[in-house]
Amino acid sequence: MNIKSNPRHQALRKKDAKADPFEQFVIWFNEALQFEPYPANAMVLATVDEKGEPDARVVLLKELESHCFIFYTNYESKKAKQLSKHNAAALNFYWPHTARQVRIRGKVKKVERSKSESYFATRPRETQLGAQAWIQSTVLANREELNTKFNEAEKKFSGRVIPCPDYWGGYALVPFEYEFFQSRDWRAHDRLLYILENQRWKIMRLAP
């Protein structure tokens, strides 16, 4: 069996990097899955609100398609409302055990309804009930109200398939910019920036 060594602090050379940043991401992501003890698909999603002020939270990457990063949420949540006003967003992956991070900027769009429904059907039943019981980010009087709403949903769907709510589904972020950051000794880090220009990816090295 071929066991790879941890790529921590190895060089990231422009001549060795993939011409397509999505291919480069997949390589790093697969290595993160191997070496990170925590979920490698955890990512910071940054959006802006109606005042143009930044907002950020950690969400989970659920699917990778060619130049598409897919996550799921409640369409009534704060982040969804922000994305409905400004569909540009940023992602940040941080993998401390491989001493890497990837920063991505792009445009966000909803995935097809059938895709959301298919993914929802694979979720644990308790998670499906939570999606039916709660509108994410709304104010609750107390913990008891949260539990009451969940119990009501559990009773309502007892013995039944739980459908995907209309207000729940996926988003796909389509990047126009990637930055790959590889930590090196003495803070002489490697940073490669990919920018999409005229449907082609341009690669540049950045100072640490």
Side-chain angles (χ1 to χ4, degrees):
M1 182 173 64
N2 182 24
I3 301 177
K4 296 179 65 175
S5 60
N6 192 319
R8 183 180 180 87
H9 299 305
Q10 74 180 21
L12 175 61
R13 301 182 179 90
K14 186 176 176 180
K15 67 182 181 67
D16 298 328
K18 295 293 184 181
D20 185 329
F22 184 77
E23 293 180 12
Q24 184 65 43
F25 178 86
V26 170
I27 291 171
W28 275 23
F29 184 64
N30 286 334
E31 290 177 341
L33 289 172
Q34 181 177 351
F35 293 107
E36 293 295 329
Y38 303 107
N41 64 326
M43 59 186 186
V44 175
L45 168 67
T47 54
V48 294
D49 64 16
E50 66 279 1
K51 298 179 182 178
E53 296 175 348
D55 201 357
R57 76 290 290 159
V58 176
V59 299
L60 295 179
L61 173 70
K62 288 299 184 179
E63 297 176 55
L64 273 176
E65 295 180 354
S66 182
H67 287 288
C68 279
F69 293 74
I70 298 173
F71 60 95
Y72 292 87
T73 190
N74 190 305
Y75 288 147
E76 297 297 323
S77 65
K78 183 182 291 186
K79 58 182 168 293
K81 290 178 179 178
Q82 292 170 352
L83 288 170
S84 71
K85 300 288 186 181
H86 305 280
N87 72 330
L91 303 176
N92 189 67
F93 293 86
Y94 175 54
W95 299 311
H97 284 73
T98 53
R100 290 170 170 171
Q101 62 178 311
V102 183
R103 300 172 61 232
I104 300 169
R105 296 200 299 158
K107 298 291 187 179
V108 178
K109 60 183 180 181
K110 288 182 178 180
V111 303
E112 301 85 356
R113 184 63 188 165
S114 59
K115 189 175 188 67
S116 294
E117 291 173 344
S118 295
Y119 172 71
F120 187 84
T122 69
R123 305 182 89 208
R125 187 172 178 84
E126 291 77 9
T127 309
Q128 293 177 343
L129 285 169
Q132 285 283 354
W134 311 312
I135 301 298
Q136 194 176 80
S137 303
T138 55
V139 176
L140 297 173
N142 48 46
R143 180 79 188 186
E144 286 69 29
E145 182 182 354
L146 182 144
N147 294 334
T148 297
K149 288 179 180 293
F150 184 89
N151 292 336
E152 289 172 351
E154 191 173 33
K155 185 180 299 184
K156 177 181 178 180
F157 294 103
S158 178
R160 296 168 51 194
V161 172
I162 303 172
C164 180
D166 293 338
Y167 52 79
W168 192 97
Y171 286 103
L173 183 140
V174 182
F176 54 74
E177 183 178 299
Y178 292 76
E179 183 194 322
F180 294 86
F181 176 102
Q182 175 70 68
S183 177
R184 301 289 300 277
D185 291 337
W186 312 114
R187 297 188 181 276
H189 310 309
D190 289 326
R191 295 173 64 192
L192 293 185
L193 177 68
Y194 291 73
I195 296 178
L196 188 61
E197 293 184 353
N198 299 318
Q199 305 304 310
R200 300 189 59 157
W201 289 101
K202 180 180 179 181
I203 311 176
M204 293 169 281
R205 174 173 286 277
L206 302 179

